[in-house]
Every structure is written in C-alpha cells, then in structure tokens.
Amino acid sequence: LATQGNQVFAIMPKRLHEAMLKGGAHYHAWPARASSVEGIGEGECLARFVASYQTTEEDVAALTQLTQRLAGK
C-alpha cells in the first residue's frame, strides 16, 4: 500500500503490537483513550508510524518484513 505522507496510522491486534516492540520496531502507540475511536475493537490498538528524511528504504523494508513475519503473512 503506497502512501504520499510521512505518517501512517494502523489498527493492529495488541499481541502483534507487543511482538513488534519486542522485535525492535520503533513507532508511536496511540494513548489508551484511543480505544474510544470508532473502528478500534477490544484487543486492538492504534499505532502511528512516522518517517523522516533519515528513514531509508531499507528501514521501511525491515519494518515490513518484521510485521509480515510476526503476522504470519
């Protein structure tokens, strides 16, 4: 999925969120009150991924690979 911005918001299972952090991913988990945001169910969390001018294609590829491996895809 291509994006034109430097921020991506994702809803993910909390178990994937915890596994990604243990796997070395760096991103911003939205505050607990985000559970009141429409579309976020029990057992899910909202995450904000932010890229900077220093983010390389390799950084994005590594995060993508980690996410796919942990999600079983």
Side-chain angles (χ1 to χ4, degrees):
L1 179 62
T3 181
Q4 296 297 316
N6 73 326
Q7 296 184 61
V8 174
F9 292 85
I11 298 171
M12 68 176 75
K14 287 183 181 178
R15 60 177 172 68
L16 177 59
H17 160 68
E18 292 166 3
M20 288 179 64
L21 292 178
K22 287 180 185 175
H26 298 279
Y27 57 91
H28 304 278
W30 224 239
R33 67 182 179 276
S35 62
S36 63
V37 175
E38 186 175 326
I40 299 176
E42 188 69 32
E44 295 180 322
C45 69
L46 179 63
R48 180 177 70 135
F49 296 86
V50 181
S52 75
Y53 290 107
Q54 294 179 332
T55 304
T56 65
E57 288 186 28
E58 291 80 12
D59 294 333
V60 175
L63 178 65
T64 301
Q65 290 171 358
L66 174 67
T67 304
Q68 289 175 336
R69 180 174 57 81
L70 295 172
K73 297 189 178 202

